[in-house]
Amino acid sequence: MPAVPRLATPVTRPAPVPVTGVATLLLAGGKGTRLHELTARDSKPAVPFAGANRIIDFAMANAVRSGLPRMLVATQYAPHSLHHHLPTRWGHRFPQAGLALRDGQDRFMGTADAARQTWDALEAMGGDQVLILAADHVYDMNYADLLAAHRVSGAAVTVAVDTVPRAEARGFGVMQADAQGRILSFLEKPADPPGMIDQPDRAMVSMGIYVFDRRWLQEALFDRPVEAMDFGHDVIPDAVAQGVAGVWRMPAGPSGRGYWRDVGTLDALRRAQLDFVSAEPARLPFASPASDWYLGRGSIAMPGAVVPESARLTCTLVAPGTQVPAGLVTGENATEDARWFTRTPAGTVLITQTMLDRRAAHAHIRRSVTPPPSNRRGLHA
């Protein structure tokens, strides 16, 4: 099992040294269509993870542990639960009302446009750097280390990176860098990802976390057409073309590698939670013991789900508030799973209450239209 992140900040731990000279923007407006029904009414960062946590809580816990005193959170798709959750759960961890939220109301034209439209608030934070964070990944990072590395690098832009097998890199921004860390090429979600110069079987991928020099970013945001307002597709490639972009590789953890998971698919969401099954509650943003959410057989129950002991669920995600009927079996018959539920090619099954209601209604209709068995003795009487 990979070493999972320790993201809690116990009261016994000394308070982090506040980071100065930086404005922080957390991008939390993604819809997350590959999570199917889980994001029908909520954004991807708001999806529950390992009990009472939400995906966004990992970025928030990282920010607190890193000593970021101020943060602006940009929301867009289905923002209501985040606008309640973030001030309630995290507001007191940012002194002097340092946590602010801005709802794009479907006006943000891309990730970079969210920064452009909130530039007044970012400018009010002061500082010479702008830190852009992603709210939809599960990872452990000290942003203070990233900022320090950027400041000594001389680069105008620093991209936090991880490495993955080449075959798994198609859904990311993929780059090549020289020995000094200068980015030589950047491709957003390429069909044939290039390998690293020194490790051709692996690819260097963007974590969606960037540090910009303020002046460079301001010029980049306000000197481009509104249709070219995405960091991955537009802004970072421009920085690479100018030769001013560098990489920062997340330090290795106890396992010899850092922990970062993109949980944008049902398979990835389920598997990442399994990494935390045997972890201490303190490794989560706040305590959520596995006994509250792990069902066994690779299955996860989300908040409010009720699963009777007679149910046999394999590789299954039970959506929030779902009441599983007694004796339900999933994950063993692909055809039957796909008939009633959302099932991925890799075998993860998602169950929602709506799906179960549809299944129950079909069973009721079948019972009501099927004639009772004939009484053969009566026919011959």
Side-chain angles (χ1 to χ4, degrees):
M1 176 186 295
V4 296
R6 289 183 178 272
L7 297 182
T9 307
V11 293
T12 56
R13 178 181 293 176
V17 177
V19 173
T20 59
V22 61
T24 303
L25 176 63
L26 178 62
L27 300 174
K31 184 175 182 179
T33 55
R34 294 178 299 166
L35 292 178
H36 298 272
E37 290 82 359
L38 289 180
T39 54
R41 297 181 180 179
D42 240 337
S43 64
K44 178 182 174 183
V47 169
F49 185 96
N53 306 281
R54 295 172 184 248
I55 294 173
I56 196 173
D57 288 332
F58 288 86
M60 299 302 295
N62 285 336
V64 170
R65 190 192 64 174
S66 301
L68 298 180
R70 296 176 301 277
M71 176 186 287
L72 175 66
V73 182
T75 62
Q76 179 143 297
Y77 171 74
H80 306 295
S81 66
L82 285 183
H83 280 248
H84 172 74
H85 172 75
L86 291 175
T88 302
R89 172 66 185 91
W90 295 102
H92 69 287
R93 305 304 297 269
F94 291 84
Q96 300 178 355
L99 178 63
L101 290 87
R102 185 76 66 87
D103 180 14
Q105 297 179 346
D106 297 327
R107 293 193 305 266
F108 297 151
M109 302 300 291
T111 54
D113 193 44
R116 184 180 66 86
Q117 292 200 40
T118 60
W119 190 256
D120 57 338
L122 295 174
E123 198 166 40
M125 293 184 191
D128 296 326
Q129 284 84 41
V130 178
L131 174 63
I132 305 294
L133 303 177
D136 53 3
H137 297 152
V138 173
Y139 64 106
D140 184 7
M141 179 181 290
N142 189 330
Y143 303 131
D145 294 341
L146 167 61
L147 288 162
H150 171 80
R151 288 165 179 168
V152 301
S153 70
V157 182
T158 298
V159 181
V161 301
D162 195 10
T163 65
V164 301
R166 279 188 60 193
E168 299 175 11
R170 296 184 182 92
F172 302 100
V174 181
M175 65 207 80
Q176 290 184 317
D178 62 20
Q180 289 71 45
R182 183 171 62 95
I183 302 177
L184 304 175
S185 66
F186 185 97
L187 299 172
E188 183 70 3
K189 299 181 179 179
D192 184 20
M196 298 169 59
I197 294 175
D198 57 344
Q199 288 183 274
D201 60 330
R202 298 188 66 82
M204 181 180 292
V205 299
S206 169
M207 300 173 67
I209 299 170
Y210 318 108
V211 184
F212 293 93
D213 283 352
R214 176 184 295 278
R215 289 185 179 179
W216 189 94
L217 181 59
Q218 185 172 12
E219 292 180 5
L221 292 178
F222 291 93
D223 190 25
R224 68 176 55 250
V226 70
E227 61 270 16
M229 277 290 175
D230 184 83
F231 281 121
H233 283 101
D234 307 304
V235 178
I236 301 302
D238 284 356
V240 173
Q242 295 174 29
V244 297
V247 299
W248 179 81
R249 295 183 65 169
M250 185 171 61
S255 67
R257 305 185 68 178
Y259 188 94
W260 173 70
R261 297 290 183 272
D262 181 350
V263 289
T265 67
L266 294 176
D267 297 312
L269 179 66
R270 183 181 63 82
R271 290 168 182 164
Q273 292 179 82
L274 298 181
D275 288 343
F276 291 81
V277 168
S278 60
E280 309 155 19
R283 292 177 181 243
L284 293 163
F286 52 93
S288 290
S291 58
D292 291 346
W293 49 268
Y294 181 55
L295 301 173
R297 304 174 68 92
S299 296
I300 307 295
M302 293 185 168
V306 177
V307 182
E309 291 185 2
S310 61
R312 190 169 73 246
L313 311 182
T314 303
C315 299
T316 298
L317 292 166
V318 184
T322 301
Q323 309 290 305
V324 173
L328 181 69
V329 176
T330 63
E332 299 179 14
N333 185 319
T335 301
E336 188 68 10
D337 288 340
R339 183 181 184 190
W340 303 113
F341 311 118
T342 297
R343 184 187 186 278
T344 71
T348 296
V349 180
L350 172 64
I351 300 175
T352 69
Q353 189 62 51
T354 299
M355 297 172 189
L356 289 173
D357 291 344
R358 183 172 62 244
R359 178 176 178 269
H362 179 82
H364 176 75
I365 292 173
R366 286 193 62 185
R367 287 195 299 268
S368 64
V369 300
T370 301
S374 59
N375 187 334
R376 294 187 178 274
R377 291 182 60 187
L379 290 175
H380 294 281

